[in-house]
């Protein structure tokens, strides 16, 4: 952006007054020249795919919450098992809840296009669900959209 060199001043494009050639901000009208310098930043590909994938992963994770919550809450009441077996059922329910939390987190990160690795891990947990599988694929193929 260097015009005829050697000149110490130029005219402000906004107010027309003389200002220092390398001034960042016009002292008269406040026109900010740094914005112009920052303008040609290469734009990221704005794809909706990670968002769609994240939503699908979150929906799929709700299945974990539903099943896990039911198992953890009801235990022996539903299955009529002995105390030890109901403990196993409750433990399985809690494990499913944890899987739900992980996949929910992955879905949220996918929507925010942050932490690609965690988004993928969250998607892996919901593979048993067809929605989760589609979501994982959508997130995986839009890796470029994520902040690195
Ligand atoms: Zn000015």
């Amino acid at each position: 952006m260097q015009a005829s060199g050697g000149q110490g001043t130029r005219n402000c494009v906004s107010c027309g007054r003389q200002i220092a050639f390398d001034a960042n901000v016009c002292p008269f009208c406040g026109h900010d020249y740094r914005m112009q310098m920052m303008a040609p930043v290469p734009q990221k590909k704005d794809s909706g795919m990670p968002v769609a994938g994240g939503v699908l992963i979150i929906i799929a994770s709700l299945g974990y919450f539903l099943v896990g919550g039911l198992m953890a809450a009801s235990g022996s009441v539903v299955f009529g098992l002995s105390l030890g077996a109901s403990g196993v059922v409750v433990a399985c329910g809690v494990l499913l809840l944890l899987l739900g939390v992980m996949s929910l987190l992955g879905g949220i990160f996918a929507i925010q296009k942050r932490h690609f690795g965690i988004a993928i891990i969250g998607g892996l947990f919901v593979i048993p669900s067809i929605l989760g599988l589609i979501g994982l694929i959508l997130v995986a193929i839009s890796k470029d959209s994520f902040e690195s």
Side-chain angles (χ1 to χ4, degrees), residues 7-131:
Q7 281 185 317
T9 60
R10 62 176 169 169
N11 292 326
C12 173
V13 296
S14 180
C15 67
R17 282 186 255 208
Q18 254 189 6
I19 60 172
F21 187 78
D22 55 355
N24 287 326
V25 179
C26 173
F28 303 105
C29 70
H31 186 86
D32 196 335
Y33 288 91
R34 287 167 299 187
M35 298 297 283
Q36 286 187 335
M37 305 273 281
M38 284 157 60
V41 169
Q43 284 199 322
K44 266 185 187 170
K45 275 181 285 180
D46 195 18
S47 159
M49 280 194 298
V51 177
V55 169
L56 287 177
I57 291 172
I58 288 174
I59 291 171
S61 77
L62 296 181
Y64 279 127
F65 284 112
L66 195 67
V67 177
L70 275 176
M71 287 176 82
S74 15
S76 60
V77 177
V78 169
F79 295 96
L81 304 169
S82 68
L83 197 64
S86 82
V88 173
V89 171
V90 170
C92 285
V94 170
L95 188 68
L96 286 177
L97 284 176
L98 285 176
L99 286 175
V101 170
M102 281 301 296
S103 46
L104 183 67
L105 200 63
I108 290 170
F109 280 140
I111 288 174
Q112 295 176 337
K113 298 174 189 174
R114 289 162 48 205
H115 305 296
F116 180 74
I118 297 176
I120 286 294
I121 291 170
L124 287 174
F125 285 136
V126 290
I127 278 184
S129 145
I130 187 70
L131 281 180

Side-chain angles (χ1 to χ4, degrees), residues 49 116 120 135-145:
M49 280 194 298
F116 180 74
I120 286 294
L136 174 64
I137 292 170
L138 285 177
V139 170
I141 61 178
S142 50
K143 185 177 190 298
D144 290 346
S145 306

